[in-house]
Amino acid sequence: MDIDAIHKALANPVRRQILHWLKDPHQHFAEQEHPLDMGVCCKLIDQRTGLSQSTVSAHLATLHKAGLVSTRRVGQFIFFQRNEELIQAFLAQLNDGL
């Protein structure tokens, strides 16, 4: 676990919002045609943020580099899911260190 990368990723409000949406994809991305257990298609995340595709891609890359999200490629689509195991380990480490 790269604590510094996680802190950097969480320092941006857009990235925190994306993680929040991915926590409950059924609520925030119910319109997705593919099963949500595959993750959320990056196109839907782009649309929800209202930001450019390149900006959202950079945010998702930062979250992925930090390990906070995992990706799955299906054909031309990339799906994103929260890495709950890492998030819980990070929170536990924060609680233990304080």
Side-chain angles (χ1 to χ4, degrees):
M1 176 175 10
D2 185 343
I3 298 294
D4 292 334
I6 293 171
H7 281 286
K8 177 183 175 184
L10 295 176
N12 184 283
V14 172
R15 292 191 285 264
R16 290 192 307 269
Q17 186 65 57
I18 291 169
L19 285 173
H20 171 75
W21 292 333
L22 292 176
K23 186 174 185 176
D24 187 2
H26 295 283
Q27 178 182 351
H28 300 287
F29 299 102
E31 71 275 16
Q32 179 168 288
E33 294 178 20
H34 298 292
L36 287 168
D37 62 348
M38 295 174 60
V40 175
C41 182
C42 60
K43 180 180 176 182
L44 292 178
I45 298 170
D46 291 347
Q47 291 171 354
R48 189 152 182 91
T49 64
L51 301 171
S52 72
Q53 184 272 330
S54 60
T55 299
V56 176
S57 287
H59 285 308
L60 290 169
T62 300
L63 289 169
H64 187 257
K65 181 180 177 186
L68 294 168
V69 297
S70 60
T71 61
R72 175 187 287 182
R73 180 177 285 277
V74 178
Q76 66 187 22
F77 302 105
I78 300 175
F79 295 86
F80 290 84
Q81 285 183 306
R82 283 170 50 117
N83 181 345
E84 294 297 340
E85 185 177 320
L86 181 109
I87 290 170
Q88 292 307 314
F90 173 72
L91 292 173
Q93 186 167 348
L94 276 180
N95 286 332
D96 290 344
L98 296 177

